[in-house]
Amino acid sequence: MKSPWWHDAVVYQIYPRSFADSNNDGEGDFVGITARLEHVATLGVDAVWFSPFYKSPNRDGGYDVSNPREVDPRFGTLDDFSQMMNRADELGLKVIVDLVPNHFSDQHQWFQAALAAAPNSAERRRFHFYDGRGESGELPPNNWESVFGGPSWTRINEPDGRPGQWYLHLFDSSQPDLNWDNPEVNADFEKTIKFWLDLGVAGFRIDVAHGLAKEQIYQDHPDPVALTAALRLDVTDIDPEYRKQLLTDIPFFDRDGVHQIYRGWRKLIDTYPGDRFFVAEAWVYPTSRAVRYVRPDELHQIFNFDFLTIEWDAAKIKSAVEHVTTEFANVTAPPTWVLDNHDSPRVVSRLGGGEVGLQKARALAMVTQALPGNLYIYQGEELGLEDVPVAAPDRQDPIFFRTNGQQLGRDGVRVPLPWQGDAPPFGFSASKSWLPQPASWRELTVAAQNEKADSTLNLYRKLLRLRRSHPALGGLTEINWIESEPGILRFERNPGFELVANTTSTSYKFTTPKQVLVSSSPIEITGEEITLPSNSTVWLSSLD
Ligand code: NOJ
């Protein structure tokens, strides 16, 4: 039987607010996206995933949804969305949309109704409203911290004006958590899932997929501040063993109750024609727990985020790849690979920035794209963009505000794309961009990179083309590791493909009868001898 397309798909993530602006208000929209969608198609990907574009007060980049079945006017209309779908279809691209089931916006009509209703009412039972502790309920029900910093409980005033119950929000206070023990919640989400499936989407990325079930609400966590730190990728000053211990048992993440929700959704999506799928955003430790989300009767994919923090180090890359491929094979689900997304530092910056950061990022992208399974590419990754230092008055991320500026947050990776021209907003808009772009992006616009044979954009295009055309790539065939010197990563995939990556700081010479397909930086070839510069990867093939 032919495997479904999403077993080895390449999915391009569009952050709609920052892709292309058609009405010159400085924010991206669907008409702008439709006009620029060809860029995504010519890159050679299979699908596009849209971060949320639903009705939202936009307190958390649209992940605070006030109506999940409506397009927010900043992005246009449902008709604009449908036109984009038509264009995607013409270009051979499938469309995946975001589903945000852990929380709604506090502006959603359900939450507004809950505020107006009495404690323990049907309206309140859609969320996690609890009485506070202490003599007059002045203390929150427990000591959990929000993932964005600060307490995860906010006290409301009851309709009579007196301080009353507390509600849970694992993220911003404008994002009240939904109560998944209440069947009304699932019924509403099934309605949303059907709504978008009926419009032709090929699948969903599920936000905070590990968070829906909560337990032990009236129990304090022994170390809530350390737990929040342990959940953050960028916090490194925490003992690794303690971190593992904290991540192993979290009262609000990865509780067994979530799996039954996904079994139901799987049945629902299976009633639709075509190979449609769910991918889970679930930060679950260890991997053996994470892969439970993609057991055969649950979701189809789960993001593997190991490469968001992987060092440019042959031994570490090899061990991460071996670990991930083994764990996923145990549940017969395809692995996924992610170098960049709208929540994490851009890979070029993470690997040191500048020329060297770019060199390493290109070399790492070549390793990633040669692996079996699914690949997710975040807009701008194909241009080799770096994080942008955003000035304090321009910052919008709730992480910045909830930590009093101690953590800068994610705005720097959400700056609008540079398309063409010599000055900001580089064709993103005819007027301005909601976050300022740096002048240095002049060299990195799509138009500028089109003209340069060795640009990152052209490298990505070449790699994705080869990934489709070379019989060993794509698919789920095994990786055969080749023993080599320290700092050198080398593997084969059948038939006839070989990858050599040099993570050391000196060049590496080797001989091979194979032909060079592509390399991340210029290499020297003398007969059968290849000199691979430091921080570089080469793809080789023995096929004609
Ligand atoms: C994960 C999303 O990717 C992120 O952007 C968002 O802030 C949180 N979930 C909360 O929805």
Side-chain angles (χ1 to χ4, degrees):
M1 202 175 77
K2 197 172 165 290
S3 335
W5 69 277
W6 51 262
H7 265 193
D8 63 352
V10 184
V11 183
Y12 183 92
Q13 180 189 356
I14 287 189
Y15 192 74
R17 201 175 175 203
S18 298
F19 194 74
D21 172 23
S22 74
N23 61 357
N24 302 327
D25 61 356
E27 303 192 49
D29 48 53
F30 275 118
V31 174
I33 291 168
T34 305
R36 296 275 191 193
L37 209 51
E38 204 175 343
H39 166 73
V40 181
T42 51
L43 203 54
V45 307
D46 303 285
V48 189
W49 147 37
F50 285 90
S51 280
F53 49 82
Y54 315 115
K55 188 105 176 54
S56 163
N58 201 32
R59 293 277 300 272
D60 179 27
Y63 283 94
D64 48 323
V65 178
S66 57
N67 186 340
R69 300 184 285 273
E70 207 180 302
V71 172
D72 193 275
R74 79 176 66 230
F75 300 118
T77 62
L78 196 57
D79 193 46
D80 295 339
F81 173 82
S82 297
Q83 306 228 10
M84 181 285 297
M85 291 288 290
N86 292 340
R87 181 69 184 133
D89 196 44
E90 268 167 31
L91 293 165
L93 294 169
K94 299 196 193 299
V95 171
I96 315 296
V97 297
D98 230 292
L99 194 67
V100 190
N102 182 66
H103 42 263
F104 273 157
S105 156
D106 59 356
Q107 299 307 306
H108 189 287
Q109 60 177 22
W110 275 13
F111 194 73
Q112 291 300 314
L115 290 179
N120 306 320
S121 55
E123 288 83 355
R124 292 248 170 123
R125 278 198 300 273
R126 292 164 173 159
F127 299 91
H128 290 281
F129 277 94
Y130 285 84
D131 291 335
R133 296 187 292 189
E135 222 145 87
S136 54
E138 73 283 7
L139 299 172
N142 67 33
N143 65 353
W144 299 351
E145 289 274 305
S146 148
V147 177
F148 285 169
S152 67
W153 294 93
T154 292
R155 193 173 194 187
I156 62 158
N157 284 331
E158 295 296 342
D160 64 8
R162 275 189 297 204
Q165 288 197 299
W166 298 72
Y167 68 91
L168 176 70
H169 51 87
L170 293 181
F171 295 89
D172 188 50
S173 55
S174 67
Q175 295 166 296
D177 280 50
L178 285 157
N179 173 13
W180 279 86
D181 286 335
N182 183 341
E184 252 193 280
V185 173
N186 192 41
D188 189 68
F189 271 84
E190 294 208 341
K191 197 167 154 188
T192 300
I193 292 170
K194 286 187 204 153
F195 179 87
W196 295 104
L197 287 175
D198 288 339
L199 283 168
V201 306
F204 298 89
R205 175 258 191 201
I206 306 173
D207 189 62
V208 200
H210 54 319
L212 313 193
K214 274 94 181 170
E215 286 177 14
Q216 305 154 5
I217 297 258
Y218 273 118
Q219 236 165 286
D220 277 344
H221 186 272
D223 199 347
V225 177
L227 172 60
T228 314
L231 289 167
R232 297 184 50 91
L233 288 184
D234 55 334
V235 176
T236 46
D237 59 348
I238 177 167
D239 172 60
E241 285 313 309
Y242 187 42
R243 177 178 232 151
K244 284 184 193 164
Q245 188 193 321
L246 287 166
L247 295 182
T248 305
D249 186 13
I250 307 174
F252 46 83
F253 281 155
D254 193 33
R255 308 319 297 182
D256 283 344
V258 296
H259 295 284
Q260 149 198 352
I261 303 168
Y262 299 137
R263 291 199 180 99
W265 289 7
R266 177 63 179 252
K267 286 201 183 103
L268 171 61
I269 207 167
D270 282 350
T271 63
Y272 279 77
D275 290 322
R276 311 205 196 189
F277 78 100
F278 290 111
V279 53
E281 188 232 15
W283 298 82
V284 173
Y285 175 84
T287 316
S288 56
R289 291 280 303 182
V291 296
R292 296 167 82 236
Y293 289 73
V294 286
R295 286 176 290 194
D297 60 342
E298 296 193 37
L299 305 174
H300 306 74
Q301 295 180 12
I302 179 169
F303 288 132
N304 144 47
F305 288 131
D306 287 12
F307 272 30
L308 287 181
T309 49
I310 196 79
E311 287 168 49
W312 176 239
D313 175 288
K316 290 187 175 150
I317 296 173
K318 179 178 174 197
S319 107
V321 171
E322 278 185 315
H323 171 68
V324 168
T325 45
T326 312
E327 292 282 3
F328 278 75
N330 286 341
V331 288
T332 63
T336 57
W337 307 99
V338 184
L339 282 182
D340 249 1
N341 64 27
H342 64 295
D343 291 330
S344 325
R346 285 198 176 272
V347 60
V348 179
S349 303
R350 191 173 68 69
L351 295 177
E355 259 318 296
V356 175
L358 180 62
Q359 235 179 16
K360 290 181 180 172
R362 287 165 60 116
L364 181 59
M366 282 191 59
V367 174
T368 315
Q369 299 199 21
L371 297 174
N374 297 286
L375 205 68
Y376 283 80
I377 295 175
Y378 174 50
Q379 66 176 44
E381 180 191 323
E382 79 281 20
L383 303 177
L385 299 185
E386 288 194 45
D387 295 355
V388 177
V390 175
D394 290 329
R395 295 234 168 234
Q396 305 210 359
D397 189 341
I399 293 182
F400 180 74
F401 299 106
R402 290 186 64 87
T403 62
N404 294 320
Q406 278 176 11
Q407 285 158 26
L408 294 178
R410 303 156 295 177
D411 295 309
V413 305
R414 299 175 177 180
V415 174
L417 286 189
W419 292 96
Q420 74 220 14
D422 291 329
F426 295 118
F428 163 72
S429 161
S431 62
K432 55 186 177 195
S433 62
W434 66 279
L435 287 174
Q437 301 154 314
S440 59
W441 278 8
R442 193 183 307 117
E443 316 281 329
L444 297 177
T445 63
V446 172
Q449 296 206 37
N450 273 338
E451 301 305 314
K452 277 186 70 189
D454 65 350
S455 67
T456 304
L457 175 58
N458 280 324
L459 175 67
Y460 265 66
R461 286 180 179 144
K462 204 180 292 173
L463 297 174
L464 292 171
R465 215 167 30 238
L466 283 166
R467 200 171 186 276
R468 274 188 177 163
S469 62
H470 196 287
L473 294 174
L476 289 171
T477 57
E478 275 183 20
I479 296 169
N480 304 316
W481 299 100
I482 303 173
E483 259 326 298
S484 17
E485 290 79 343
I488 305 300
L489 183 83
R490 206 162 167 169
F491 64 78
E492 286 178 326
R493 289 183 67 194
N494 284 325
F497 175 84
E498 184 175 341
L499 174 144
V500 186
N502 176 5
T503 68
T504 73
S505 51
T506 52
S507 57
Y508 172 64
K509 269 192 204 323
F510 63 99
T511 52
T512 177
K514 296 192 176 105
Q515 296 298 310
V516 170
L517 291 171
V518 54
S519 60
S520 64
S521 28
I523 53 175
E524 254 175 61
I525 308 173
T526 322
E528 291 200 345
E529 188 183 76
I530 293 185
T531 308
L532 184 63
S534 80
N535 303 328
S536 306
T537 300
V538 63
W539 285 7
L540 306 160
S541 176
S542 59
L543 309 179
D544 291 334

